Each structure stands twice: as C-alpha cells, then as structure tokens.
C-alpha cells in the first residue's frame, strides 16, 4: 500500500518516459522521508516462501477486517 500510485494512462506514460520528473512528483506528494523508506525496502532482500506468503496474507486479512470495522482506520503495510 505504501508503494502504490494511481495514474491515468496519459500520466502513467508521461511519468514512465520521464523518471526524474516522476521522482520529483513522488517526493512532492509522498514526501522525502517516505521515498527514503521505499528506497531502503527495494534494496532489501525478502526471501519468499510459503510461510512468508501466509504471514503476509494473514497481515492483510487483519488489516482489511480493521478497516471494515472502522472506515477511518488506515491500513498499515506489511514490512
């Protein structure tokens, strides 16, 4: 959830063709600190196996349940 950006087809193409502009756009809308966290995550290694997939699925099921119970709840990304 912390790495999702919704763009229309036109702007998706514009941002894909202009990565420096896209980086500036993300920094303006998400903040420099958020981009640092995403950069650290992309450099990390997550060894995937069934146990990890099950743990991630459980986390998001619980997050969705919390959101259904409280519409103001902000879903927390699996780290």
């Amino acid at each position: 959830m912390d790495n999702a950006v919704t763009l229309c087809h036109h702007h998706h193409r514009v941002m894909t063709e202009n990565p420096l502009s896209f980086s500036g756009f993300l920094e303006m809308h998400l903040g420099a600190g958020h981009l640092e966290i995403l950069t650290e995550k992309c450099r990390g290694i997550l060894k995937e196996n069934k146990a990890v997939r099950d743990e991630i699925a459980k986390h998001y099921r619980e997050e969705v349940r919390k959101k259904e119970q409280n519409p103001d709840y902000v879903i927390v990304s699996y780290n």
Side-chain angles (χ1 to χ4, degrees):
M1 296 294 288
D2 60 347
N3 193 23
V5 177
T6 305
L7 301 170
C8 69
H9 174 75
H10 168 75
H11 284 101
H12 185 274
R13 184 172 179 165
V14 168
M15 295 300 179
T16 300
E17 293 174 356
N18 299 286
L20 291 176
S21 295
F22 186 48
S23 178
F25 168 84
L26 290 175
E27 185 170 346
M28 182 175 67
H29 288 283
L30 300 177
H34 190 93
L35 287 181
E36 282 184 39
I37 290 169
L38 291 177
T39 300
E40 287 176 17
K41 284 183 176 183
C42 84
R43 291 185 179 143
I45 297 173
L46 174 64
K47 295 193 177 191
E48 184 216 328
N49 58 40
K50 183 170 178 359
V52 172
R53 288 191 305 269
D54 289 346
E55 181 182 333
I56 293 169
K58 178 182 176 187
H59 169 81
Y60 282 110
R61 280 193 297 272
E62 291 174 5
E63 290 298 300
V64 169
R65 181 184 52 77
K66 291 175 186 177
K67 181 72 171 177
E68 289 172 344
Q69 292 175 348
N70 177 6
D72 295 329
Y73 180 77
V74 176
I75 293 178
V76 176
S77 177
Y78 179 84
N79 294 328

